[in-house]
Amino acid sequence: MRLLPAAMLVLVGLACASLTIGAASISILEASRDPWAALILMQSRLPRTLAVILTGAALAVAGVVLQALVRNRFVGPETTGTAESATLGLLAVTIVFPASPLWAKMVAASVAAMLGTALFVAVIRRLPVREVMLVPIAGLVLSGVIGSVATFVGWQTDLLQYVNGWLLSGEFSGVLAGRYELLWVAAAAAGLAWFAADRFAILGLGDNVATGLGLSPASVMRLGLAVVAVVTAMVITTVGLIPFVGLVVPNIVARIMGDNLRASIPVVAVFGAVLLLACDLLGRLIRYPYEIPVGTILGVVGAAIFLWLLYRRPAHG
Amino acid sequence: MIRISDLSYRIGKATILRDISTELPKGALTALIGPNGAGKSTLLRLIGRLEPLQTGSVSLDGADLASTRTEDLALRMAVLGQQTAIASRLRLRELVGFGRWPHHRGRPCAKDSAIVDEALAGFALGDLADRFIDEISGGQAQRAYLAMTVAQDTDWLLLDEPLNNLDMAHARALMCRLAELVRGSGKSVVTVIHEVNYAAAWADHVVAMKDGRIVAQGTPHEVLTSETLSMLYDTPVTVGTHQDRPLILHHV
């Protein structure tokens, strides 16, 4: 499969472009001699580029895992109440233990995200199997309900600014060295998903097949939910809600190479990073030197890709 | 041998199985027959630990189902449930390859891929090995699942209506293959069958169920009689013989 090297090459190209493009006019080739250029490169450009790549890759992997767990291609971590639940967890820990350290807040966000996603899974298990479109709709309704609870609590406790920072469309302009490193945790969770890829692929075939092959569907489900929850919680607390990456990238890759996750997860990760980095670059260039949030760009690009995926006939061959 | 003792199963207030105790012989092809709703599939799913036991116990060659680890059971028996819509987009080779998972747990070796190729060829799927499962017919997908079950290479195979979606030729080829697995490789097969003539022609042991109970069991000649079948299906059935096997005339 030549897909992976080709996608990697594109990613490297985009990453080089990302290092050279920004509001400050510096030449990165001068960085070894120019301390100012070196500072911008090491403190802003490189962290931002890494943050975008880690986020895109981790969200796309979380999306493919989630789609295998619920056996539905029309969901992503942003449409299942996961992000809203993580926000609720962050709010709760901020209100009850305002002085708690960062790791405790992250644990609270991840646990809440996992509970919210588990609630989504419990809800859709009660839906008729053949009604494929009810699953994403149930997810959107659940997201709306949990999101409105978070907004209400935020309003009552004067923390609405935080809530908006987590749930409004994400962007990377605030990323500096020292303020994005949690995304490595998200990437580690995505790496864990690759390690357990066969288990998720088998669970995607149904609980009966998984049980027959000696797997416990419940424990594979818990592992998958943990991956999705950790990725989502880390991403929304660091850069905010990033739509569509976890939804469209797994669909594109599944069309090309199917659902053998052991082989497809690396491709999904690189495609996710490419999509997000390309959109972030667009956002930086359209109104240069001002920026359009990547969430807004993705809203347009992602929706267009998704509509194309819906209307195109299934691939053959 | 599969030993079933005092097995009962309820869903809500409905009793699906009532105090079933029996033994299914090792090294034989056992057919579970009976009208719709008799509890055949439930019995098979309980033996295959696809549903949790409520009361009673099941043991597989002496290993108690409730106390044996599920990954160890996967090396002793393979279960094929009734297939619902397939959402996954896997190539046939990858799907059948998952049958080897209990053996290699993520690290397949050359032996595993040889067994997968053999299973694909055994179900005439060699040419389709690189096709996606959502792009083939229902009967071909059913054969792919059967190939996955056979690739698991266990002493016991439990199959729930494996003839679903198969045409006449493939249905006969499957029964022939199952008989071969029993006679040639010493496997034991337990299968739910709706068309009693397949049971008559190929089974060594027949278990007839009705209303959650076993009403008759034994060789095809003992069970597949006009009397038993007429009572079992509440409809008059004539039984003749063909090549020393019962031939059930139920369609005229």
Side-chain angles (χ1 to χ4, degrees):
Chain A
M1 183 57 66
R2 301 240 176 88
L3 209 56
L4 191 58
M8 295 276 269
L9 213 62
V10 174
L11 183 60
V12 169
L14 287 171
C16 291
S18 169
L19 292 176
T20 59
I21 295 168
S25 330
I26 55 154
S27 164
I28 55 161
L29 298 176
E30 305 282 310
S32 55
R33 276 171 284 141
D34 180 355
W36 174 241
L39 182 75
I40 290 199
L41 184 66
M42 297 314 290
Q43 296 298 309
S44 166
R45 298 277 171 82
L46 187 63
R48 177 175 189 159
T49 305
L50 284 174
V52 175
I53 291 173
L54 294 175
T55 303
L59 275 180
V61 172
V64 81
V65 170
L66 187 64
Q67 291 177 8
L69 294 183
V70 304
R71 292 168 209 134
N72 189 299
R73 291 201 192 288
F74 303 107
V75 296
E78 73 277 14
T79 62
T80 49
T82 313
E84 288 77 6
S85 305
T87 301
L88 212 51
L90 276 172
L91 263 184
V93 78
T94 309
I95 293 165
V96 182
F97 304 106
S100 56
L102 184 66
W103 66 262
K105 288 186 171 149
M106 291 306 118
V107 169
S110 303
V111 170
M114 194 163 160
L115 291 176
T117 321
L119 177 65
F120 169 71
V121 171
V123 168
I124 62 160
R125 286 265 158 120
R126 287 161 207 281
L127 297 175
V129 181
R130 306 221 170 255
E131 297 290 337
V132 183
M133 281 303 169
L134 278 182
V135 172
I137 292 169
L140 291 174
V141 171
L142 190 65
S143 304
V145 171
I146 301 175
S148 59
V149 172
T151 308
F152 178 74
V153 174
W155 173 262
Q156 290 291 317
T157 52
D158 242 350
L159 292 169
L160 202 55
Q161 244 180 333
Y162 285 93
V163 176
N164 285 344
W166 295 320
L167 285 185
L168 287 189
S169 66
E171 47 110 18
F172 290 88
S173 63
V175 170
L176 290 173
R179 286 177 58 183
Y180 81 100
E181 281 74 4
L182 277 173
L183 293 172
W184 286 107
V185 178
L192 181 69
W194 185 62
F195 189 72
D198 285 340
R199 288 176 165 80
F200 297 132
I202 290 173
L203 192 65
L205 290 169
D207 286 3
N208 283 349
V209 174
T211 307
L213 293 175
L215 288 175
S216 152
S219 63
V220 179
M221 176 65 81
R222 276 195 297 274
L223 177 64
L225 289 179
V227 167
V228 174
V230 168
V231 168
T232 311
M234 297 307 139
V235 169
I236 69 152
T237 49
T238 314
V239 294
L241 190 67
I242 307 281
F244 283 111
V245 175
L247 180 63
V248 297
V249 173
N251 273 288
I252 295 171
V253 176
R255 257 172 198 278
I256 303 170
M257 58 187 299
D259 287 323
N260 183 9
L261 299 185
R262 167 80 60 202
S264 74
I265 279 183
V267 180
V268 166
V270 176
F271 272 37
V274 165
L275 176 66
L276 193 60
L277 194 51
C279 289
D280 187 54
L281 278 169
L282 261 182
R284 276 186 254 175
L285 288 170
I286 290 176
R287 291 175 62 217
Y288 185 84
Y290 304 104
E291 290 202 15
I292 298 172
V294 70
T296 310
I297 302 279
L298 263 174
V300 178
V301 175
I305 299 177
F306 192 56
L307 283 176
W308 173 72
L309 284 170
L310 278 180
Y311 281 101
R312 232 192 73 166
R313 276 175 302 162
H316 282 274
Chain B
M1 175 173 64
I2 292 178
R3 180 172 285 136
I4 300 163
S5 323
D6 305 322
L7 196 66
S8 293
Y9 193 78
R10 304 166 67 87
I11 299 177
K13 282 184 181 160
T15 304
I16 311 295
L17 296 176
R18 303 161 199 267
D19 282 329
I20 292 202
S21 295
T22 188
E23 285 168 3
L24 305 178
K26 195 173 169 71
L29 206 174
T30 300
L32 298 178
I33 63 165
N36 295 335
K40 312 178 293 290
S41 288
T42 305
L43 179 61
L44 192 89
R45 292 172 60 80
L46 285 168
I47 300 170
R49 50 101 169 75
L50 300 183
E51 307 287 348
L53 294 177
Q54 290 175 346
T55 51
S57 64
V58 176
S59 75
L60 183 86
D61 295 336
D64 183 55
L65 208 61
S67 58
T68 309
R69 298 188 328 154
T70 181
E71 51 263 57
D72 294 336
L73 287 173
L75 296 169
R76 291 163 170 254
M77 66 174 171
V79 198
L80 178 68
Q82 284 183 43
Q83 296 314 320
T84 46
I86 303 150
S88 274
R89 200 168 142 79
L90 288 170
R91 291 177 202 280
L92 260 56
R93 188 188 305 283
E94 296 164 346
L95 177 79
V96 177
F98 281 136
R100 300 301 301 161
W101 164 265
H103 300 270
H104 64 61
R105 301 194 72 80
R107 292 162 195 272
C109 61
K111 185 186 163 217
D112 293 305
S113 63
I115 291 176
V116 169
D117 286 338
E118 197 184 296
L120 282 165
F123 286 91
L125 294 168
D127 296 339
L128 301 172
D130 291 316
R131 291 274 289 278
F132 285 113
I133 191 147
D134 57 355
E135 294 166 2
I136 58 176
S137 76
Q140 290 167 336
Q142 175 70 3
R143 273 149 57 203
Y145 274 100
L146 283 160
M148 173 167 90
T149 312
V150 169
Q152 205 172 327
D153 194 22
T154 49
D155 284 347
W156 286 88
L157 281 91
L158 310 180
L159 312 173
D160 195 354
E161 298 193 27
L163 300 176
N164 273 359
N165 286 327
L166 296 187
D167 62 34
M168 217 193 285
H170 282 114
R172 177 164 57 190
L174 171 65
M175 293 311 294
C176 182
R177 184 85 213 282
L178 294 179
E180 213 176 271
L181 284 171
V182 169
R183 269 135 232 169
S185 319
K187 309 271 185 197
S188 313
V189 176
V190 182
T191 176
V192 174
I193 289 186
H194 259 297
E195 169 51 65
V196 281
N197 275 314
Y198 285 105
W202 298 98
D204 305 306
H205 185 75
V206 179
V207 177
M209 293 181 69
K210 189 179 186 182
D211 295 333
R213 291 193 178 87
I214 292 176
V215 293
Q217 51 190 323
T219 63
H221 279 294
E222 289 163 5
V223 177
L224 302 175
T225 60
S226 179
E227 261 175 293
T228 309
L229 288 173
S230 301
M231 178 274 293
L232 191 63
Y233 290 96
D234 290 321
T235 186
V237 173
T238 315
V239 177
T241 42
H242 174 69
Q243 294 183 348
D244 291 336
R245 289 270 187 171
L247 176 69
I248 297 101
L249 303 164
H250 55 72
H251 54 292
V252 283

